[in-house]
Amino acid sequence: MKNSALKGALGALAVVGVALAAKKIAQRKRFMKGIFNEYGIKEKSPFGLADKIREMNDEQYQELKGKFKKEFASGFCRKNHSNTAEA
């Protein structure tokens, strides 16, 4: 009896995890679609984005780079550099 309850709880937890992952994927897909529409990129692929970046001036590139950093930044891998010892 205990085992089946544990399996049910883990199954429910797995369903929630998949739902959260699907939500995050949908958000990022909408973000990329918005970038392609905003910059008028016809080819919806990384190659189309790269071609557009080559055509941009430095100011436009920095703006786009900031948008990507803001959207795709993860707090998971950030390092705290204030505690590092200097040799």
Side-chain angles (χ1 to χ4, degrees):
M1 188 74 164
K2 248 197 299 188
N3 240 355
S4 63
L6 181 62
K7 286 181 184 177
L10 288 176
L13 188 61
V15 169
V16 170
V18 169
L20 289 174
K23 180 181 174 185
K24 189 68 167 178
I25 290 169
Q27 287 175 343
R28 292 199 171 173
K29 188 174 181 180
R30 271 185 266 131
F31 171 77
M32 289 304 298
K33 188 174 183 180
I35 291 291
F36 286 131
N37 290 336
E38 182 179 344
Y39 289 97
I41 302 169
K42 302 290 183 201
E43 185 182 347
K44 309 288 190 221
S45 72
F47 300 109
L49 181 62
D51 289 341
K52 185 64 177 179
I53 288 173
R54 285 186 201 106
E55 296 171 2
M56 291 179 171
N57 62 27
D58 195 41
E59 182 180 316
Q60 291 172 327
Y61 173 70
Q62 293 301 327
E63 177 186 339
L64 180 65
K65 186 176 167 183
K67 288 179 183 178
F68 275 107
K69 277 188 175 183
K70 181 180 176 190
E71 177 67 23
F72 295 110
S74 172
F76 184 74
C77 294
R78 290 192 182 149
K79 296 179 181 177
N80 187 0
H81 292 290
S82 63
N83 293 336
T84 58
E86 292 183 17

